Amino acid sequence: MKRFGVILALFLLPVSKANGVDIPEFCAHKTTFEMRTTNVIKRCNEDEISLGSGPITASLTAPKALNETLENRFRTAQASAAKEGVNLQITSGYRSIERQRFLFDQAVQKYGSYKTAAKWVAPPEISNHPLGLAIDVNYPNDPKAAKWLEVNGYKFGLCRVFKNEWWHFEGNIAPGWKCPKLLKDARALLQS
Ligand SMILES: [Zn+2]
């Protein structure tokens, strides 16, 4: 359901706002990380990084690295957290589909079934790590710092996704939007 909703929004956006002037694009200054809103026609300035114009969606080709907009959002959040003495670090970002499959197969061995394993490690076909659209932050030792991102991440378009993973964040909203309700665990994605 989530992917469908995102794809639907992608199609509706240009239609409902035919001239791109009305579609906001979010930018942050490369050194001060001060945020600014422009639009998708004007785009960000050369001394800024783009935080995108909506929820971050998968590219049509298989990526080999973390989504750049997601990385920019994290860097902006990281700079803001640092001002409050909070140290945020990405401990896992892009993972190849083979790597995700390996981790999932290990979990199946450990937990005995696909369904139970999926509670703890997302199967490769539903994980957003191979799509470059997910980051694990301060895993496994610093849930306190990650909590800062859970509370403040929406300002930068970053949301915690699962109730059982305090470390996992995605760019599933535009900066400033409200984060969706937490899913119980990755198995919620299997049902959609
Ligand atoms: Zn994760």
Side-chain angles (χ1 to χ4, degrees):
M1 218 30 230
K2 191 185 80 176
R3 294 242 170 93
F4 177 71
V6 167
I7 290 163
L8 191 69
L10 202 67
F11 281 111
L12 289 179
L13 206 59
V15 177
S16 60
K17 302 278 185 186
N19 74 15
V21 173
D22 295 333
I23 303 172
E25 175 156 344
F26 304 90
C27 315
H29 192 270
K30 276 178 181 169
T31 48
T32 65
F33 291 98
E34 191 182 329
M35 283 175 68
R36 184 177 73 89
T37 309
T38 178
N39 63 58
V40 296
I41 302 292
K42 288 185 182 164
R43 311 300 307 265
C44 300
N45 296 331
E46 266 180 30
D47 58 358
E48 292 172 324
I49 50 178
S50 174
L51 308 184
S53 54
I56 301 174
T57 52
S59 60
L60 296 174
T61 52
K64 289 196 159 40
L66 191 62
N67 177 283
E68 197 185 341
T69 305
L70 180 58
E71 193 175 345
N72 287 343
R73 288 182 184 188
F74 177 78
R75 286 173 62 199
T76 307
Q78 187 183 42
S80 181
K83 284 183 193 160
E84 296 178 30
V86 176
N87 178 16
L88 296 180
Q89 298 296 332
I90 294 176
T91 46
S92 181
Y94 168 77
R95 295 201 281 262
S96 71
I97 198 100
E98 293 76 21
R99 175 77 185 151
Q100 189 71 26
R101 184 167 293 121
F102 173 77
L103 293 173
F104 182 69
D105 288 347
Q106 272 190 328
V108 172
Q109 290 291 319
K110 184 174 173 186
Y111 296 106
S113 77
Y114 182 98
K115 196 90 193 189
T116 313
K119 185 177 176 182
W120 300 106
V121 179
E125 63 272 20
I126 61 162
S127 172
N128 274 330
H129 282 285
L131 297 173
L133 299 181
I135 48 175
D136 294 341
V137 176
N138 291 44
Y139 180 81
N141 293 324
D142 198 354
K144 210 175 144 202
K147 186 75 187 174
W148 185 96
L149 193 58
E150 184 181 339
V151 172
N152 295 286
Y154 77 94
K155 299 172 194 166
F156 315 95
L158 297 171
C159 298
R160 179 178 166 181
V161 178
F162 303 114
K163 275 186 188 161
N164 69 332
E165 294 190 14
W166 54 259
W167 55 85
H168 180 101
F169 291 83
E170 298 183 12
N172 52 355
I173 57 166
W177 290 9
K178 196 168 171 268
C179 285
K181 217 171 140 239
L182 294 185
L183 300 172
K184 196 167 169 230
D185 55 57
R187 292 179 302 182
L189 300 173
L190 289 173
Q191 290 148 11
S192 59

